[in-house]
Amino acid sequence: MEGNVHSKELAAYLLSQHSEQLSSIILATDPRLHYSVYVDFAEIMDDNPALSQFIFAKPTEYLPLFNEAAVWAQKVILADLKQCENASVKDNVHVRINISGSPLECPETFPSIGRVRVKHRGILLTIKGTVIRSGAVKMIEGERIYECRRCKHRSSAKKENLCRFKVYPEVETRNSIPKPIFCPSQRSVICESTSFQLVEDNKICHDYQEIKIQESTQVLGVGAIPRSVPVILKDDLVDMVKAGDDVIVTGILTAKWSTDLKDVRCDLDPVLIANHVRRMNELKSEIDIPDDAVLKFKQFWTEFKDTPLKGRNAILQGICPQVFGLFTVKLAVALTLIGGVQHVDASGTKVRGESHLLLVGDPGTGKSQFLKFAAKLSNRSVITTGLGSTSAGLTVTAVKDGGEWMLEAGALVLADGGLCCIDEFDSMREHDRATIHEAMEQQTISVAKAGLVTTLSTRTIVFGATNPKGHYDPEQPLSVNTTLSGPLLSRFDIVLVLLDTKNPDWDAVVSSHILAEAETKNHNYEEDLGTIWPLSMLRRYIQFVKRYFRPVLTKEAEKVISSYYQLQRRSATQNAARTTVRMLESLIRLAQAHARLMFRNEVRRLDAITAILCIESSMTTSAIVDSMGNALHSNFAENPDQEYIDAKQERLILERLHLQDEFPEVISTGGSICR
């Protein structure tokens, strides 16, 4: 009786709050599909607090009642839609509870995966994680109907009144349906029969899929091992997510027996039966940026309005401050993390906005330090080696789990929407070498393994580091020194070579810096963006300029970039892999990233010149500047704005590009950084 009362209350709530969703389901044409009715738990609490308490405390009992109430509510609505010929009541309706914005987002009902315990069993539980495995969609039997042979023999009633009862699959025994032990008849004379007949014409099946989600490494402390939990998706929830997706799952925690293995104890493994799944991919790169931080950014650039390069260098000095100098590397890291603007043409073809960076250098040149610091600057990051930490490696692989083939996501898939830092880049697996080209350029991975055919997203910034093969030979091309193929190297927007030339003057400066850092490391300074940018402000600044600036090229910038590209095409001494359209796209991305770094919404001539200098630093033989120097020994200028003009780099580049007639003011005055 209690169930009937609450079922009516649930139906009344659906009629009052979600009649539009129910009406659209009634008007749907296919009665065999499964339909969802999305309900906010916060709304239920406001409308009927007692009912919300029942749903939270006893979801196993009340969620099926909610589904039945949705069917009954359809019948009520259908009575008012008699004029619609195609309208019909759909039996396969599922009420999905969204806990967003409700008190259930507290730690007790929204724990991390590693903190899920027995006390969470049986309540409406919510967990958050990344999908690391995605199984195939299967079909399972939802219930069986048995008929008691004895009751049927003794009963003179009609067939529909015979003693029939349903038996449901048990998750604990891996969805097997047990045979009934005794007749559940509730008649005056107890039926003790153990003989039953299966009713074959009432078989009901459901779509079924198992995924595994893992807690994010971003919220774990050093040394903590990320935990995972399997999740069961049924009916309309199947195939909603893929490996690499960030999800928030609401459901009921239960258990199942682990796989039978010889001489291994059989335990109960936790499993979550999902009721609601929310994909969080669009929020991967979002971090909180308060208004006072935005005000500080604007004030900072107001102060450096007349000396913009000095302001830019103040930001760059906050990148990996424990490493002295390396201006070129820090500029490349900043431009890579900020990236350009993704372009989609009329045909739907996408040109990626994410940039890729590769550091090639001798041991002890600080490559790993930059990898780790870049991972801290990104809101979503994965650090791995070329070999990969799992069988999935960098891309994706098919693994067998419990007799079933599942896709396991690699580092690039798990870092979708963020940054993937790969140390020892040249030691990657063979199957990664074959697929990483697509992952870096098209930002997808096409999978066809063990009968699993799909496409996974890898909208990822790749930051790689590798040692040269033996002693670096400047006379040989980069592909020979690194054992990386030319096509793979061409995927990187910037490739910097850091060579330890054992310069005594440089070693003396570096040692003095390290000793000075050791003396002042315990001192606390007031936060002043004009002198030092702390890590938290750097993260917010990078995310802010990526979110709110979409720079467009000015005519001057277009002329500079176009002329440089044409010069590279005419040059016969350059590596053919670097003189393709891909290099032109890299120039545009780097120029847009520099404009964002300079807090602007337009790409000026200065941004184009800086992008060219970054590309020139990636080449062993420069087509513009006679000697770019070793990136390892590049240092910050004391007065970068004046030195930019005095060095006449802009004038030299424009003359080499035959643009002196286009910009006569630069040739006559020596340069202008405000353009």
Side-chain angles (χ1 to χ4, degrees), residues 183-304:
C183 178
S185 174
Q186 300 295 325
R187 301 181 183 182
S188 57
V189 179
I190 298 177
C191 177
E192 298 179 352
S193 173
T194 58
S195 178
F196 309 99
Q197 178 182 354
L198 179 64
V199 181
E200 296 287 350
D201 58 344
N202 287 277
K203 183 175 291 186
I204 297 177
C205 295
H206 298 273
D207 292 324
Y208 180 91
Q209 184 185 26
E210 286 192 21
I211 64 173
K212 181 176 285 188
I213 64 175
Q214 176 181 285
E215 58 187 330
S216 174
T217 56
Q218 303 298 117
V219 299
L220 298 177
V222 177
I225 299 175
R227 307 297 180 181
S228 59
V229 63
V231 178
I232 295 176
L233 307 179
K234 291 183 179 180
D235 300 322
D236 55 309
L237 297 181
V238 302
D239 229 14
M240 280 188 61
V241 297
K242 296 181 179 180
D245 288 345
D246 275 356
V247 295
I248 295 179
V249 183
T250 301
I252 305 171
L253 183 69
T254 182
K256 65 178 179 180
W257 292 108
S258 57
T259 308
D260 295 335
L261 296 175
K262 186 178 180 181
D263 299 328
V264 176
R265 185 180 64 184
C266 192
D267 296 323
L268 280 170
D269 297 329
V271 61
L272 187 72
I273 303 176
N275 170 265
H276 181 271
V277 178
R278 181 186 178 194
R279 296 175 71 246
M280 301 290 292
N281 291 25
E282 67 279 2
L283 302 177
K284 284 183 177 180
S285 299
E286 300 292 332
I287 62 173
D288 180 42
I289 304 176
D291 293 337
D292 60 337
V294 178
L295 182 60
K296 286 183 179 180
F297 300 153
K298 294 179 179 179
Q299 291 175 346
F300 172 84
W301 284 108
T302 301
E303 295 175 3
F304 288 95

Side-chain angles (χ1 to χ4, degrees), residues 23-36:
S23 298
S24 62
I25 293 174
I26 292 173
L27 297 175
T29 57
D30 194 342
R32 297 172 297 177
L33 294 179
H34 290 261
Y35 299 91
S36 298

Side-chain angles (χ1 to χ4, degrees), residues 188 201 361 366 423 511 562 591 593 616 647 654:
S188 57
D201 58 344
D423 209 350
S511 60
S562 176
E616 291 288 300
L654 293 179

Side-chain angles (χ1 to χ4, degrees), residues 203-484:
K203 183 175 291 186
I204 297 177
C205 295
H206 298 273
D207 292 324
Y208 180 91
Q209 184 185 26
E210 286 192 21
I211 64 173
K212 181 176 285 188
I213 64 175
Q214 176 181 285
E215 58 187 330
S216 174
T217 56
Q218 303 298 117
V219 299
L220 298 177
V222 177
I225 299 175
R227 307 297 180 181
S228 59
V229 63
V231 178
I232 295 176
L233 307 179
K234 291 183 179 180
D235 300 322
D236 55 309
L237 297 181
V238 302
D239 229 14
M240 280 188 61
V241 297
K242 296 181 179 180
D245 288 345
D246 275 356
V247 295
I248 295 179
V249 183
T250 301
I252 305 171
L253 183 69
T254 182
K256 65 178 179 180
W257 292 108
S258 57
T259 308
D260 295 335
L261 296 175
K262 186 178 180 181
D263 299 328
V264 176
R265 185 180 64 184
C266 192
D267 296 323
L268 280 170
D269 297 329
V271 61
L272 187 72
I273 303 176
N275 170 265
H276 181 271
V277 178
R278 181 186 178 194
R279 296 175 71 246
M280 301 290 292
N281 291 25
E282 67 279 2
L283 302 177
K284 284 183 177 180
S285 299
E286 300 292 332
I287 62 173
D288 180 42
I289 304 176
D291 293 337
D292 60 337
V294 178
L295 182 60
K296 286 183 179 180
F297 300 153
K298 294 179 179 179
Q299 291 175 346
F300 172 84
W301 284 108
T302 301
E303 295 175 3
F304 288 95
K305 180 180 180 180
D306 298 328
T307 55
L309 293 184
K310 187 176 181 180
R312 179 200 66 182
N313 288 4
I315 298 174
L316 297 181
Q317 284 178 333
I319 297 177
C320 211
Q322 68 272 22
V323 177
F324 175 76
L326 273 72
F327 164 78
T328 305
V329 180
K330 294 182 179 181
L331 174 61
V333 170
L335 297 184
T336 301
L337 292 178
I338 293 174
V341 180
Q342 185 187 61
H343 173 68
V344 182
D345 61 15
S347 64
T349 303
K350 295 181 180 180
V351 178
R352 61 181 169 91
E354 288 77 11
S355 301
H356 304 313
L357 170 64
L358 178 64
L359 298 182
V360 181
D362 296 324
T365 52
K367 301 186 299 298
S368 298
Q369 293 283 353
F370 281 105
L371 285 178
K372 293 181 179 178
F373 194 86
K376 294 178 182 178
L377 286 176
S378 179
N379 187 46
R380 178 182 177 85
S381 61
V382 175
I383 301 180
T384 184
T385 62
L387 289 175
S389 56
T390 65
S391 61
L394 297 177
T395 53
V396 69
T397 191
V399 296
K400 206 167 188 178
D401 185 8
E404 176 190 352
W405 285 101
M406 303 179 72
L407 287 179
E408 181 175 298
L412 289 172
V413 179
L414 295 178
D416 180 38
L419 171 69
C420 184
C421 299
I422 309 172
D423 209 350
E424 306 295 338
F425 189 80
D426 58 334
S427 62
M428 72 180 77
R429 302 170 188 265
E430 288 299 326
H431 79 273
D432 289 333
R433 288 179 181 268
T435 55
I436 196 172
H437 296 78
E438 178 193 358
M440 293 179 65
E441 191 63 34
Q442 279 73 42
Q443 297 190 315
T444 58
I445 293 179
S446 300
V447 184
K449 298 181 178 181
L452 304 175
V453 181
T454 186
T455 300
L456 303 178
S457 178
T458 58
R459 297 163 298 176
T460 308
I461 300 170
V462 176
F463 185 1
T466 182
N467 295 328
K469 182 183 178 182
H471 179 70
Y472 190 91
D473 186 0
E475 301 297 328
Q476 297 291 334
L478 195 59
S479 58
V480 176
N481 283 289
T482 59
T483 70
L484 297 174

Side-chain angles (χ1 to χ4, degrees), residues 16-120:
S16 62
Q17 302 291 337
H18 300 278
S19 58
E20 292 185 2
Q21 291 191 56
L22 293 171
S23 298
S24 62
I25 293 174
I26 292 173
L27 297 175
T29 57
D30 194 342
R32 297 172 297 177
L33 294 179
H34 290 261
Y35 299 91
S36 298
V37 177
Y38 293 98
V39 174
D40 290 332
F41 191 82
E43 292 183 358
I44 303 178
M45 291 192 65
D46 294 338
D47 188 75
N48 194 331
L51 196 59
S52 65
Q53 178 62 28
F54 283 125
I55 295 173
F56 163 71
K58 299 179 179 180
T60 306
E61 177 181 350
Y62 284 95
L63 288 180
L65 284 178
F66 226 152
N67 297 338
E68 294 177 4
V71 176
W72 186 85
Q74 288 182 79
K75 297 178 181 179
V76 176
I77 296 176
L78 184 61
D80 299 331
L81 298 175
K82 292 182 179 179
Q83 68 276 13
C84 299
E85 297 180 358
N86 297 327
S88 63
V89 175
K90 308 300 187 299
D91 295 328
N92 300 323
V93 179
H94 310 277
V95 177
R96 305 301 183 189
I97 307 296
N98 181 14
I99 63 109
S100 178
S102 74
L104 294 189
E105 290 185 317
C106 66
E108 282 298 317
T109 58
F110 198 161
S112 62
I113 296 177
R115 294 187 176 274
V116 173
R117 299 293 184 265
V118 175
K119 65 179 181 179
H120 297 116

